[in-house]
Amino acid sequence: MSADWYPGIKAFRAHWNHAPMLQQTFETLEREFADENDACIDAAKGFVECACRLLIQELDDPLNPIGTWPDSPIRNAHPSFSNWVSAAFRLMAIVERRDDPFSKVISQHYSLTEALGKFRDVAGTVSHGKEGLSKKLSAHHRRSALLAADAIVTFLHEAYLEREPDPVRTFEPYERFEASNAIIDEFASLRAELDEEGFIRAVVVLPDGEEVPLAIETSRLLFGVDREAYKFVLNACREAKAAAPQDAEVVA
């Protein structure tokens, strides 16, 4: 199957299934690669850039956006492909020191980025018009481009999954915070009542007086209504969990 050549891209697309442009770019890549068209090279490069821009939106601090950093790779009005990838790596803050051996791994991904960009410039059929009688590339060339794009996306995606997004400004859904939600649901509770202004608090009252309870977890309600409150409650519940006595091990 064609998707076997880009499992990392497929996983990233599945994780961000609520991002319309990312989904559209993936569909183009999948279609062109399956049809053995060289346009899949343009789509591969486009997917990497779209993924990087999505992660920058997710991780960037609105009070200190990366575009305003003195040495930001995307300070200019029209950042290049490699600039977007570099900015995504910067926001991940994966390497803490310049002499970190892991930096060599990252440098190889930068090399892949440069190679994919140049490959697209030479071989891409969509971004730059080609001579009409030019021959198509081989399957080997198309697969090489997909493998390079997949390596970059996989690295960024796996690094991102190790982080916990900020619940106040994330684009991630409620389900992304499974561990945090469990803490809130264990140590916080919700009373079912109606306040003086008539706002519903966990119970819906129908015109005939019938009451319909809301089947919703405390964490889900907080996440959907007030992200700041969610974050405040989460911190308080984490402290409560840390202070809670641990179950003693039963000695046989």
Side-chain angles (χ1 to χ4, degrees), residues 23 29 34 48 53 78 81 88-89 98 135 144-145 164 166 172 180 182 192 212-213 220 222:
Q23 300 302 311
L29 182 155
V48 174
R53 297 180 73 163
H78 302 288
F81 171 52
F89 273 86
R98 290 186 178 181
K135 293 183 179 179
S144 295
E164 180 171 310
D166 186 336
E172 291 270 35
S180 299
V212 179
R220 188 183 296 273
L222 288 168

Side-chain angles (χ1 to χ4, degrees), residues 39-105:
C40 68
I41 297 172
D42 299 88
K45 178 263 180 186
F47 189 94
V48 174
E49 182 171 325
C50 188
C52 289
R53 297 180 73 163
L54 191 158
L55 291 176
I56 290 170
Q57 278 186 287
E58 173 69 28
L59 300 173
D60 206 7
D61 184 353
L63 300 179
N64 184 29
I66 190 172
T68 64
W69 295 4
D71 57 347
S72 171
I74 57 171
R75 291 194 72 187
N76 58 74
H78 302 288
S80 67
F81 171 52
S82 59
N83 289 153
W84 285 114
V85 177
S86 177
F89 273 86
R90 290 281 301 279
L91 282 175
M92 290 290 181
I94 300 170
V95 179
E96 298 181 358
R97 307 184 316 274
R98 290 186 178 181
D99 60 345
D100 190 330
F102 196 57
S103 63
K104 293 183 179 180
V105 176

